[in-house]
Amino acid sequence: MKVNQNLFLVFTCIFILAACGGGSGGGGSSTSSSSSSSASSSASSSASSSSSSASSSSSSGAIQPPVISMSGEMDWLENLEFSFLPSASGGSDLVWSLVSSPDMSFFAIDETSGEISASAFDFESPNDANADGRYELQIRVTDTNEQTAEASLIVTILNAAEYEAVTEFPPAGSDIGGVGDRFTIRGYLNNDGQRELIPGEEVQVIVNGVSATFTDDGTGTWLAEIPVGHTEVSATIEVQVAESVQHSTSLNFSNKPLANNYSIDASLAPQFYSLSLGANYVLSMNPDGSDPEVLIALEDLPVETQCPGFAQVRLSDDESQLFVKCQAAESEGTTILMHDLTNSTTEVFWLDISGISANNSGFAVINDSYFLMSVDDSSMALVNRDDGSYDSFVLQHATSTNLTASDLFVQGSKVYFYAFDNTEGRSFATFDIQAVIDSDTDVETVSTGFAFNYYLSNTFCNIEENMYFVSADILYIYNREENVLEDYVFLAEDFGAEGWSSISALTCDSTGVIVRDSLTDSIVKVNAADGLVTQLNASVTPSQYFRSTSLSLSPDNSQLFSYDFYRQNARKLNLDTFEFSESWDLSSIVDTAVNEQVSFSWENNSFYRHIVENWGGTPADETAHIQLIDLDALQNTPILTGNELQAHFGYVDAHYRIGEVVHTDNDNIIWFALVITFDGGAGGTEGVYALELDKGNITTLTETLYGGGEQIDDPYLSPFYTGLNGVILTEWNNGYVSILNKEGDIEELVAPWTPYYVTYASQFDVNRNVIYFNGFERYEDANALDPSTTQLVKFDLDDNSRSTLASWEIGNGVDFGYMQFVLDTERQYLYADNNYRLLVIDIYSGDRVLVTPN
């Protein structure tokens, strides 16, 4: 309970009373009683009462009994040690004591001075005899003649402001990941158990010496940006009232560099060299499970190095030097760092070559004398390390339409790299680099003729005539001399790990292949003779990593549902403990789809999923394009087939690709996105449609017809929001943001191409009337994405203003471009998955942390 009193006046009154040697701390009348130690003295005193004190004392020799001067009642603030000094007449050798009374046990009295003291009282938890917060006390004073006086005192405890700092962000035990040297902590104040919305001017929150700033949104939220080192972080959070510390607490989290699971590692068995999350460190990783060692820090490089971030790492042929390719600099060209692993020195090379500055361009070291760089999809450059001169040459290939040289593997004079052909799919091609060195001519590449899964890990190693690489979760062996390809080890099955499709590094010694799995940070060795797998380090167990292609938050914000179509599983994560509470293996009832998101119902513990077998869609047949997955029964129920789509739309020789499916506020109606392409590339349609479940009726909400050659893509649908009476629409090829309601009306918020080439996942904050979405631009005058423009955007519906909440620069180096995220309106978080951990983004500061489930 709060009391509207001016604390300054209360403390002033108490100070004045103590200085005067007594008096009332509150209301009440003066009370005092006196008595003699015997009947005779009492009678004598009574007999002389009619005389003046002076004449009576001098004539009869009688001594007056003591008199206590004080108020009978006083007030005292809780949480302060009690101290009160009464006064009494009757000489200087008075003895003070307490008389048996209801609350005597809480007080002590100094028998010489009469000072009464007690420990601090708690207003919220009174423990006096009748539990009313009024402590009753009887005081006695005795003079040298054994004459006494008594007085009653009632101390009423008043409520005081009790501030407590509550931290809302980051979650305790989370990790920044070694990205950034400053971080924002967010929280609020509790005052007497209630959230303080407008703290007084005398109240301050201090975090590691930094004064927090209170927001102006009336929620009492405070923010404090503090410097952090790249290690464990301990933040002391103090509440100061009138410059006096009233409450103190601590928060522990980490800022340890983490290996970036999306970078390509260099390896020297069993050591691995990797880029960090945020690409600001080059790390040396040991198989013993210890923290990575920082070899090169971006912050330590001179500005003239022109290295905005690291892109790739490679080992020299003699394994004594580590070469690091920098990201694109402001000017054309790129920087190469040569780090000597023996003496830890770093040398800088600037390559002034137009076209090679793309972050994902291939890079290799040839005979420790040349750098080989991929320039574009059809050409490369060979750079002389001694003088920086280079020669460009064209790769000529008979069948491949796109030579994806994002990774280069050199064995002897042979260069291997991936090639993509529209007919065969991915394969790898090879050419002789010595021919380029000798004659400086264009070269003819030779394809192996093997087609692979598109999702390759871009890593190779070699043992004698055999070359090893990974496609999906299979380790392949390729005999270079005989051009024979074999399945070697099915890692997911033989090692017992879920989804080894994230192999970030391979290295070979004379006896086998050593693999780093970025999903679990496991390092294992596959024996070349028998294929047996041995783990070399202590890894994160498969149950602890967080990987999701679709997320849903429970209505009470206590749990997070995650679905992973790659691994065909679903899980629920408790957001208070960060523990997985439930898990389902769905491999027996669902097949693998492409780019699949699902719409989960917390009430029915089920979700709708759409089927995308390939990007071209599928012709009409009995395939269930929409399915209902019941997690309780582990049952898959078909909802809408290709033939039913064709029966409604009536297109002949058409391909259908279902997009996202969402629940609505009507249990009998779902919405779905759909792209229809006409055979032969003659155009098609894209739109959003409503399906009436009990009757199977399809109603068009919005639809666009395209001619041949135009880009067609299904809109992305947000969850259905009652406050919007519909969903938020975003789209890949047009980059717009709109609201679509149940009547089919569209409200355009962000027009196409202004400025986003792609807009993606979107969420609505009903409390703030704000929409969050992913947006990123494209390279100027090119139909390609510009990763540096990736943003997590905040759109305020009240004033139609748009601002960047987080980006690569704001929010500690996270690529937000392809993230599926959900909004926690209670904690003011956005959740996504990143680096196989739960990514938690603060919507106030844009800062983010990673949480590993317990």
Side-chain angles (χ1 to χ4, degrees):
M1 174 180 179
K2 297 183 180 179
V3 176
N4 294 322
Q5 288 188 295
N6 189 305
L7 298 184
F8 176 78
L9 292 178
V10 173
F11 282 117
T12 302
C13 292
I14 294 171
F15 176 80
I16 293 174
L17 288 173
C20 294
S24 172
S29 60
S30 175
T31 61
S32 177
S33 62
S34 62
S35 63
S36 64
S37 59
S38 64
S40 59
S41 63
S42 176
S44 172
S45 174
S46 177
S48 62
S49 62
S50 60
S51 304
S52 68
S53 297
S55 61
S56 172
S57 176
S58 60
S59 62
S60 66
I63 299 175
Q64 294 296 322
V67 177
I68 299 175
S69 300
M70 70 174 208
S71 174
E73 292 192 20
M74 65 179 300
D75 298 331
W76 193 261
L77 282 172
E78 65 171 328
N79 304 324
L80 293 176
E81 289 188 1
F82 180 81
S83 178
F84 174 64
L85 187 65
S87 64
S89 61
S92 59
D93 295 326
L94 300 177
V95 177
W96 296 82
S97 62
L98 298 178
V99 182
S100 178
S101 50
D103 304 312
M104 171 183 170
S105 61
F106 297 104
F107 297 88
I109 191 168
D110 186 293
E111 66 177 13
T112 301
S113 67
E115 182 180 13
I116 304 169
S117 60
S119 299
F121 295 98
D122 186 356
F123 174 84
E124 287 75 24
S125 301
N127 49 13
D128 57 302
N130 55 3
D132 64 354
R134 289 165 56 84
Y135 291 79
E136 301 177 21
L137 186 64
Q138 192 75 12
I139 305 165
R140 174 182 292 168
V141 64
T142 305
D143 64 13
T144 55
N145 293 314
E146 299 299 318
Q147 298 182 110
T148 64
E150 293 185 3
S152 297
L153 177 64
I154 298 176
V155 180
T156 301
I157 304 303
L158 301 180
N159 191 24
E162 294 179 282
Y163 289 106
E164 176 189 6
V166 179
T167 303
E168 295 179 287
F169 179 82
S174 54
D175 193 355
I176 305 173
V179 184
D181 56 4
R182 302 191 66 83
F183 187 78
T184 302
I185 297 177
R186 168 170 63 88
Y188 64 91
L189 289 176
N190 262 342
N191 181 358
D192 215 13
Q194 301 293 323
R195 182 163 181 151
E196 183 77 356
L197 301 182
I198 307 177
E201 292 182 0
E202 76 279 6
V203 181
Q204 282 189 304
V205 177
I206 310 295
V207 183
N208 282 6
V210 176
S211 294
T213 301
F214 285 88
T215 63
D216 58 2
D217 60 2
T219 64
T221 299
W222 53 261
L223 303 168
E225 186 183 58
I226 64 170
V228 293
H230 301 293
T231 179
E232 298 289 346
V233 180
S234 179
T236 299
I237 305 167
E238 295 180 341
V239 181
Q240 295 185 4
V241 180
E243 299 185 355
S244 177
V245 176
Q246 187 181 97
H247 176 263
S248 180
T249 186
S250 62
L251 173 69
N252 296 312
F253 55 100
S254 300
N255 190 22
K256 295 182 178 179
L258 298 174
N260 189 336
N261 292 328
Y262 305 104
S263 67
I264 301 172
D265 294 0
S267 45
L268 171 62
Q271 198 83 357
F272 288 89
Y273 304 100
S274 180
L275 302 182
S276 69
L277 193 67
N280 52 347
Y281 297 104
V282 178
L283 305 175
S284 173
M285 304 175 62
N286 296 309
D288 60 4
S290 60
D291 290 336
E293 174 190 355
V294 175
L295 292 182
I296 307 175
L298 193 66
E299 61 198 27
D300 295 336
L301 297 177
V303 176
E304 58 269 20
T305 303
Q306 297 192 62
C307 187
F310 302 128
Q312 294 181 22
V313 288
R314 291 289 185 270
L315 275 171
S316 62
D317 290 345
D318 63 5
E319 299 179 336
S320 66
Q321 295 171 326
L322 190 68
F323 291 90
V324 182
K325 179 182 178 293
C326 289
Q327 295 176 3
E330 293 182 1
S331 57
E332 290 289 343
T334 192
T335 296
I336 305 293
L337 304 177
M338 184 183 74
H339 183 79
D340 193 306
L341 295 171
T342 303
N343 57 28
S344 299
T345 59
T346 303
E347 188 176 349
V348 178
F349 295 88
W350 168 252
L351 305 182
D352 189 15
I353 307 174
S354 176
I356 66 169
S357 59
N359 296 340
N360 63 347
S361 59
F363 169 61
V365 182
I366 308 294
N367 300 330
D368 291 339
S369 299
Y370 300 92
F371 297 131
L372 181 62
M373 315 284 293
S374 61
V375 176
D376 52 37
D377 290 338
S378 61
S379 62
M380 293 187 181
L382 188 67
V383 184
N384 190 308
R385 276 180 50 186
D386 292 334
D387 57 14
S389 62
Y390 68 94
D391 293 311
S392 296
F393 58 95
V394 175
L395 302 175
Q396 298 173 345
H397 197 283
T399 58
S400 292
T401 57
N402 186 359
L403 302 178
T404 311
S406 59
D407 185 51
L408 303 174
F409 177 69
V410 181
Q411 182 63 32
S413 65
K414 291 285 189 179
V415 176
Y416 297 87
F417 61 96
Y418 289 115
F420 180 74
D421 183 87
N422 287 335
T423 303
E424 296 179 357
R426 273 209 177 195
S427 61
F428 50 85
T430 183
F431 65 90
D432 193 328
I433 189 63
Q434 192 61 46
V436 179
I437 297 173
D438 293 341
S439 62
D440 186 26
T441 59
D442 299 339
V443 296
E444 183 79 20
T445 62
V446 179
S447 173
T448 59
F450 304 114
F452 308 114
N453 186 299
Y454 183 83
Y455 300 99
L456 293 171
S457 61
N458 297 338
T459 51
F460 300 88
C461 73
N462 193 79
I463 303 177
E464 297 179 346
E465 73 277 4
N466 293 326
M467 187 169 74
Y468 296 86
F469 67 97
V470 174
S471 175
D473 51 10
I474 300 175
L475 177 64
Y476 285 91
I477 180 172
Y478 169 60
N479 187 299
R480 294 181 289 106
E481 303 298 329
E482 300 178 7
N483 194 33
V484 175
L485 181 72
E486 299 176 358
D487 295 356
Y488 187 51
V489 176
F490 184 40
L491 292 169
E493 179 179 290
D494 293 1
F495 187 60
E498 288 189 64
W500 278 73
S501 61
S502 301
I503 307 302
S504 62
L506 299 178
T507 188
C508 295
D509 61 18
S510 60
T511 60
V513 182
I514 298 175
V515 179
R516 184 173 91 85
D517 171 36
S518 60
L519 183 63
T520 62
D521 287 332
S522 298
I523 300 177
V524 300
K525 184 172 183 178
V526 183
N527 189 285
D530 53 19
L532 293 179
V533 180
T534 304
Q535 186 159 331
L536 301 182
N537 73 334
S539 70
V540 176
T541 63
S543 63
Q544 286 182 283
Y545 71 80
F546 188 86
R547 174 71 181 267
S548 176
T549 53
S550 190
L551 297 171
S552 176
L553 197 65
S554 63
D556 62 359
N557 293 328
S558 66
Q559 294 188 85
L560 187 67
F561 172 81
S562 68
Y563 174 71
D564 182 358
F565 74 75
Y566 289 111
R567 291 161 186 83
Q568 300 170 311
N569 65 28
R571 292 189 286 188
K572 287 181 179 178
L573 182 69
N574 185 308
L575 293 174
D576 292 324
T577 63
F578 292 110
E579 294 178 346
F580 290 112
S581 56
E582 293 181 89
S583 181
W584 295 269
D585 180 359
L586 305 177
S587 58
S588 62
I589 60 173
V590 302
D591 53 357
T592 302
V594 178
N595 199 38
E596 176 185 351
Q597 291 84 46
V598 303
S599 178
F600 184 68
S601 168
W602 287 88
E603 181 180 357
N604 299 318
N605 209 34
S606 62
F607 61 86
Y608 291 103
R609 68 185 294 256
H610 66 277
I611 306 302
V612 182
E613 295 184 357
N614 57 66
W615 288 114
T618 53
D621 57 21
E622 287 303 317
T623 299
H625 287 253
I626 298 177
Q627 301 171 345
L628 177 63
I629 308 300
D630 187 328
L631 294 179
D632 293 328
L634 278 183
Q635 181 177 339
N636 184 336
T637 302
I639 299 298
L640 186 65
T641 68
N643 282 337
E644 288 171 329
L645 286 169
Q646 188 176 52
H648 173 79
F649 290 98
Y651 296 119
V652 179
D653 295 327
H655 289 247
Y656 298 88
R657 186 178 78 228
I658 293 281
E660 288 169 289
V661 181
V662 299
H663 291 83
T664 68
D665 57 353
N666 185 332
D667 290 339
N668 187 47
I669 295 177
I670 59 175
W671 290 8
F672 63 91
L674 174 66
V675 168
I676 306 173
T677 55
F678 306 138
D679 197 29
T685 66
E686 64 181 40
V688 181
Y689 307 89
L691 173 64
E692 198 173 355
L693 295 173
D694 59 352
K695 299 179 180 178
N697 295 335
I698 298 175
T699 304
T700 299
L701 294 166
T702 181
E703 186 177 70
T704 304
L705 179 65
Y706 291 88
E710 294 183 86
Q711 290 182 322
I712 305 174
D713 207 342
D714 52 302
Y716 298 111
L717 277 61
S718 75
F720 186 96
Y721 293 106
T722 303
L724 299 177
N725 195 32
V727 300
I728 308 165
L729 298 182
T730 53
E731 185 166 329
W732 187 266
N733 283 321
N734 290 315
Y736 59 74
V737 181
S738 300
I739 296 175
L740 171 68
N741 66 22
K742 289 193 293 186
E743 287 71 39
D745 300 325
I746 292 181
E747 178 186 357
E748 185 178 79
L749 304 177
V750 179
W753 302 95
T754 60
Y756 306 111
Y757 174 60
V758 170
T759 48
Y760 198 36
S762 56
Q763 293 279 303
F764 175 56
D765 187 342
V766 63
N767 297 326
R768 295 171 176 268
N769 206 28
V770 165
I771 289 174
Y772 299 96
F773 65 91
N774 295 355
F776 46 113
E777 304 171 23
R778 62 175 183 171
Y779 288 117
E780 187 177 355
D781 300 325
N783 189 23
L785 301 178
D786 182 355
S788 66
T789 68
T790 302
Q791 299 174 0
L792 185 57
V793 183
K794 173 183 176 182
F795 189 94
D796 193 325
L797 291 174
D798 290 334
D799 57 11
N800 289 333
S801 63
R802 187 172 68 234
S803 59
T804 300
L805 172 66
S807 64
W808 185 264
E809 294 81 12
I810 307 172
N812 296 324
V814 173
D815 181 0
F816 296 96
Y818 300 94
M819 282 186 180
Q820 288 288 333
F821 56 84
V822 292
L823 173 66
D824 184 337
T825 55
E826 178 180 331
R827 298 174 179 85
Q828 302 299 308
Y829 292 165
L830 288 166
Y831 298 113
D833 76 282
N834 181 257
N835 230 54
Y836 305 119
R837 293 168 175 84
L838 177 65
L839 179 73
V840 183
I841 308 166
D842 181 31
I843 69 167
Y844 276 89
S845 65
D847 279 354
R848 95 295 176 273
V849 291
L850 298 166
V851 177
T852 301
N854 297 325

